[in-house]
Amino acid sequence: MYLADRTWPELGEYVANESLAVVPLGSTEQHGPHLPLATDHLIAEHLAREAADRAEVLCTPTINIGVSPHHRQFHGTMWVDPPAFRDYVESLSRNLSYHGIDRIVFVNAHGGNIVHLREVGRRLRDDGVAYALEWMWNDSIPDLVDDLFEHNGPHGGPKETAMIQHIAPELVHEEEFERARDEGVVDLTEIEMMVHGSRTFYDAIDNTESGVLGDQTDATAEKGEQLFEAAADQLVQLIDWVTDQPLDALLAKPHVDPQPGSGR
């Protein structure tokens, strides 16, 4: 059920019986010469809406801009500062809780959002507002990703390329695959990402001229469909698991006994 397509009485019927919502989040940032800036939020939205339909739960509109300053040198990249992102997502989540939602799955497709979504989830849980957790699509199917691609790459690589070939093929520039590969980094072991135990780079352009990593020529729409179906299935299973848990088992546990101040 997509929230924005429904009337308020229809949503009232939902929250009278259900208490979970999925919130898709991504970014609007460079994904090389072959993929649109919309890559991450397109993947998040399609997975969230597919899983919400299968699990018969509520899906909110997508948050399209995330924490992406590490791609700022490339044309068109948009971002918000981390504190603003965290506060916005937390405010939106508290809005959902006002309407009766106490379990939220952040359907995420951008690595730069992960740590901030986990922090928002902790804030909401510690305050007893809601149980919210971050879900990253490729982290749910790591073995399949490894099986499909010899040189995957964490950004703009064949896994994201294949996903967009499947869900929005008209936005993919296949004639640029070789450029993306040749001006990027195919094998991550070829670049020195750690020096004496320290990560020395801050921005994508420090490592890759084309802005992306991996071998994009290994991507196909058929592989993208495999990834999409497998990830959507994992998301449905997660939704079912969260729905089945008693709320008090999900929220923050009380301090161990003796309770602070109990002897005063």
Side-chain angles (χ1 to χ4, degrees), residues 37-182:
L37 275 71
T39 291
D40 286 347
H41 71 250
L42 284 174
I43 293 173
E45 180 169 339
H46 279 76
L47 283 170
R49 293 186 68 164
E50 178 68 20
D53 285 347
R54 294 185 190 182
E56 298 183 338
V57 296
L58 191 67
C59 179
T60 74
T62 305
I63 297 175
N64 291 337
I65 298 173
V67 182
S68 303
H70 48 294
H71 294 293
R72 67 187 187 277
Q73 291 89 348
F74 295 92
H75 298 300
T77 292
M78 304 184 74
W79 70 91
V80 293
D81 292 333
F85 177 78
R86 291 193 296 267
D87 288 348
Y88 181 88
V89 176
E90 181 178 350
S91 180
L92 182 149
S93 300
R94 289 178 182 273
N95 159 215
L96 290 173
S97 74
Y98 174 81
H99 290 299
I101 299 299
D102 58 25
R103 300 147 208 257
I104 300 168
V105 178
F106 296 130
V107 179
N108 181 37
H110 174 52
N113 294 341
I114 294 175
V115 64
H116 307 294
L117 293 173
R118 288 189 59 82
E119 174 59 26
V120 170
R122 174 173 286 281
R123 291 183 192 177
L124 296 169
R125 183 173 181 262
D126 286 352
D127 286 352
V129 173
Y131 178 74
L133 73 170
E134 182 269 346
W135 178 85
M136 182 78 175
W137 73 270
N138 53 281
D139 288 342
S140 75
I141 50 170
D143 292 340
L144 179 59
V145 172
D146 288 342
D147 288 343
L148 290 179
F149 308 111
E150 181 178 359
H151 296 292
N152 177 41
H155 180 74
K159 70 172 183 282
E160 290 185 325
T161 302
M163 284 285 270
I164 299 299
Q165 285 176 302
H166 171 58
I167 64 178
E170 71 280 4
L171 299 180
V172 179
H173 296 269
E174 295 189 5
E175 74 279 3
E176 296 285 355
F177 281 6
E178 292 186 3
R179 176 188 173 190
R181 177 197 63 194
D182 296 343

Side-chain angles (χ1 to χ4, degrees), residues 243-256:
T243 301
D244 289 344
Q245 305 308 303
L247 184 60
D248 59 359
L250 297 173
L251 295 180
K253 307 300 184 292
H255 193 288
V256 297

